Amino acid sequence: MKNKVAIIIERANVALGGAERSVYELAAALSGLGLHADILAAKGQPNNRNIHILCQKRAGKRVGYSVFAKAVKKFLSENQYDIIHSVLPFSFADVYQPRGGTYAESIVRNAASYQSNIIEYYKRLTAFSNVRRTAFLRAERRLARGSDGPVIAALSRYVARQFEEHYGTDSERIVIIPNGVKTDRRINADQADRLRSQILAEARLKEADEPILLLFVANNFRLKGLAALIEAISRAANHDKGRKRCLVVVGKDRTSKYRRLAKKLGLPTPDWKIVFLGPVGHIQSVLSITDVAVLPTFYDPSSRFILEALAAGKPVITTKFNGATDLFVNERHGKVIDIPENVDALADAIRYFTDTNNIAKTSQAIIQDNLKANISIGRAAGELMTVYESVLRRKGRQ
C-alpha cells in the first residue's frame, strides 16, 4: 500500500506564483516515486481529485491562521495520512517547508527593497499591523524555537540561516533540501518565435542586428530589483557602445514607474532597448529566445526563474539574497552580486554578459557540469523521500 502524504498550502492556484506551482510539481514528483500525494488548501481550484479545498465557503481570498488550522485538523481527523508536509507553520505537521523562507526575513528584506531609510523604518515598524501575517509569524517563531516539532526543510542555505539567526533554531532540526523545478517542459517553438518577433518589433531591432537579449522575470518589480537593474543598464550603456542589446521585462506588475526611471536615465539609447512584455504563460518559451537571465533581487528563498534559466543552459546574474545561488558556481555559471544596491557591480556583470564569447563559455560550463539534473524537482523529491522515511521510522511505521 502506498504511503499517503498531505501537502498543506494556503492557496492552490498555479497562476498565483512560484510557491503554488512548486507545490503542484512536488506533488507530481512524489507521486512518480510511488507515494500518494494530496494537496490541502484553504482556497483555490480543485482541478483534480488530489486537491482538497477546505475553506472555499469562507468570504475573501484568504483566511486567517486559526481558521485554516482548524479546518486542516478536522480534515486530518477524518482522513488518514502517513506524512503531513506543510508550507505553513503548523506545529502538528511532520515537515515544515516554507516556500517563501521565514516571515521574519521577508519583512526585513521587503522593507530594505524600498531603498529609503525612512520608508524602511516605517515598513518594519508597521509590519505587525497586518493581523493575519503577524499570526503566521508568531506561529513560525513558536514552531522554530521549540526543542522538538516538525523537521524544518529549508529550500537553501540562506533559508536555513534565517531560522538560526531570527529564531535561534537548533541546526539539528534543519535539513537543507535545495529547491527544484520541472526541467523537461517542452518549448512551443511557434510561441517562442512570435515572442521574439514581438520583442524585436517593440525594440525596433532586426534579426540582422544579432541583438543580445537579457531577461528579467518577476511579479514584484520593486522586491526583485528592477530599479537597480535599469540603473545598472544605464551605466553599462554609457561605457559600452556597439552591439545592440535589449532588456526584456516579463511580469504583471505596474510598469509606469520603471518606464519613467528609464527615460530619466537616458534609456533607450541607440544600442540599449527595454521592452516590457507583460505576463507570459510559459517562461521556457521566453528563455529559449533570450541570452541571459537577470534577477538582482532583494529577497528570494530560491528563485524558480533563475533555476529554470540554468536548466535551459542560460547564464544568470543574481544576488546573495537568492537561495538559488546554492545550485550554481559564481563566476562559472553566472555572477552573484553582494547586494542589489551595488549598481556598479551589477553593471560590470551586465557588461560581461553582453560579450557573446562569455555567454557561450558560461553556457557550455552549465551543460558540462550537468546543472540540469541537480536542479530538477525529481532530485528534490528524492531528498524529501529520505526525510519522510526518517519520520516514519520515528513513528515506528517502517
Side-chain angles (χ1 to χ4, degrees), residues 196-335:
R196 186 172 177 87
S197 295
Q198 179 184 346
I199 291 165
L200 296 184
E202 292 190 23
R204 298 182 180 179
L205 296 171
K206 303 182 294 292
E207 286 291 359
D209 294 321
E210 297 182 332
I212 295 170
L213 305 183
L214 279 69
L215 178 63
F216 170 95
V217 177
N219 287 326
N220 183 333
F221 294 167
R222 170 184 46 75
L223 186 63
K224 304 303 180 178
L226 181 55
L229 177 54
I230 291 173
E231 185 175 349
I233 284 174
S234 75
R235 296 190 189 185
N238 289 333
H239 290 86
D240 194 10
K241 310 294 182 182
R243 189 160 186 158
K244 306 295 184 183
R245 305 165 181 88
C246 180
L247 171 65
V248 181
V249 178
V250 170
K252 62 182 179 181
D253 205 349
R254 295 178 180 177
T255 65
S256 55
K257 169 185 173 181
Y258 302 96
R259 291 177 189 272
R260 289 196 300 270
L261 175 63
K263 185 176 181 180
K264 177 182 176 182
L265 294 173
L267 296 170
T269 70
D271 296 319
W272 263 107
K273 312 293 183 180
I274 299 180
V275 171
F276 291 89
L277 202 58
V280 173
H282 298 283
I283 295 303
Q284 288 74 19
S285 294
V286 196
L287 279 167
S288 72
I289 50 92
T290 51
D291 301 293
V292 182
V294 190
L295 193 74
T297 182
F298 282 84
Y299 182 62
D300 221 313
S302 187
S303 163
R304 284 180 58 88
F305 164 53
I306 290 299
L307 296 185
E308 287 172 337
L310 290 167
K314 306 295 181 176
V316 298
I317 302 170
T318 191
T319 71
K320 72 174 185 178
F321 294 104
N322 185 349
T325 55
D326 285 359
L327 291 168
F328 71 92
V329 177
N330 185 25
E331 302 296 342
R332 177 165 173 81
H333 307 124
K335 298 276 189 180

Side-chain angles (χ1 to χ4, degrees), residues 55-302:
C55 302
Q56 199 73 296
K57 294 182 180 179
R58 288 270 179 172
K61 294 181 180 179
R62 296 175 180 266
V63 298
Y65 175 85
S66 60
V67 171
F68 189 30
K70 183 177 179 180
V72 172
K73 288 179 180 178
K74 181 177 185 298
F75 183 87
L76 294 176
S77 70
E78 298 167 352
N79 299 270
Q80 181 64 44
Y81 289 91
D82 301 290
I83 296 288
I84 310 302
H85 176 144
S86 184
V87 172
L88 301 174
F90 292 139
S91 59
F92 53 80
D94 298 305
V95 177
Y96 175 44
Q97 188 183 45
R99 307 300 304 188
T102 63
Y103 289 91
E105 181 76 0
S106 67
I107 289 171
V108 171
R109 296 307 303 160
N110 178 68
S113 71
Y114 285 90
Q115 299 186 71
S116 160
N117 290 336
I118 295 174
I119 297 176
E120 180 177 352
Y121 176 76
Y122 173 79
K123 288 293 180 180
R124 294 179 71 162
L125 189 67
T126 59
F128 296 98
S129 63
N130 184 316
V131 175
R132 182 185 158 282
R133 181 174 57 200
T134 299
F136 280 97
L137 171 63
R138 288 174 176 167
E140 183 176 72
R141 184 186 294 123
R142 288 194 300 270
L143 180 154
R145 287 182 173 175
S147 57
D148 54 12
V151 174
I152 297 172
L155 288 180
S156 60
R157 290 194 295 266
Y158 177 33
V159 173
R161 287 196 303 271
Q162 293 173 30
F163 277 97
E164 293 168 352
E165 293 172 4
H166 289 292
Y167 305 132
T169 306
D170 185 343
S171 61
E172 294 297 314
R173 288 189 56 199
I174 304 171
V175 58
I176 299 173
I177 300 180
N179 201 12
V181 295
K182 193 173 180 179
T183 58
D184 58 353
R185 294 184 187 277
R186 291 185 178 181
I187 296 168
N188 185 321
D190 289 339
Q191 181 190 50
D193 288 344
R194 288 194 300 271
L195 285 169
R196 186 172 177 87
S197 295
Q198 179 184 346
I199 291 165
L200 296 184
E202 292 190 23
R204 298 182 180 179
L205 296 171
K206 303 182 294 292
E207 286 291 359
D209 294 321
E210 297 182 332
I212 295 170
L213 305 183
L214 279 69
L215 178 63
F216 170 95
V217 177
N219 287 326
N220 183 333
F221 294 167
R222 170 184 46 75
L223 186 63
K224 304 303 180 178
L226 181 55
L229 177 54
I230 291 173
E231 185 175 349
I233 284 174
S234 75
R235 296 190 189 185
N238 289 333
H239 290 86
D240 194 10
K241 310 294 182 182
R243 189 160 186 158
K244 306 295 184 183
R245 305 165 181 88
C246 180
L247 171 65
V248 181
V249 178
V250 170
K252 62 182 179 181
D253 205 349
R254 295 178 180 177
T255 65
S256 55
K257 169 185 173 181
Y258 302 96
R259 291 177 189 272
R260 289 196 300 270
L261 175 63
K263 185 176 181 180
K264 177 182 176 182
L265 294 173
L267 296 170
T269 70
D271 296 319
W272 263 107
K273 312 293 183 180
I274 299 180
V275 171
F276 291 89
L277 202 58
V280 173
H282 298 283
I283 295 303
Q284 288 74 19
S285 294
V286 196
L287 279 167
S288 72
I289 50 92
T290 51
D291 301 293
V292 182
V294 190
L295 193 74
T297 182
F298 282 84
Y299 182 62
D300 221 313
S302 187

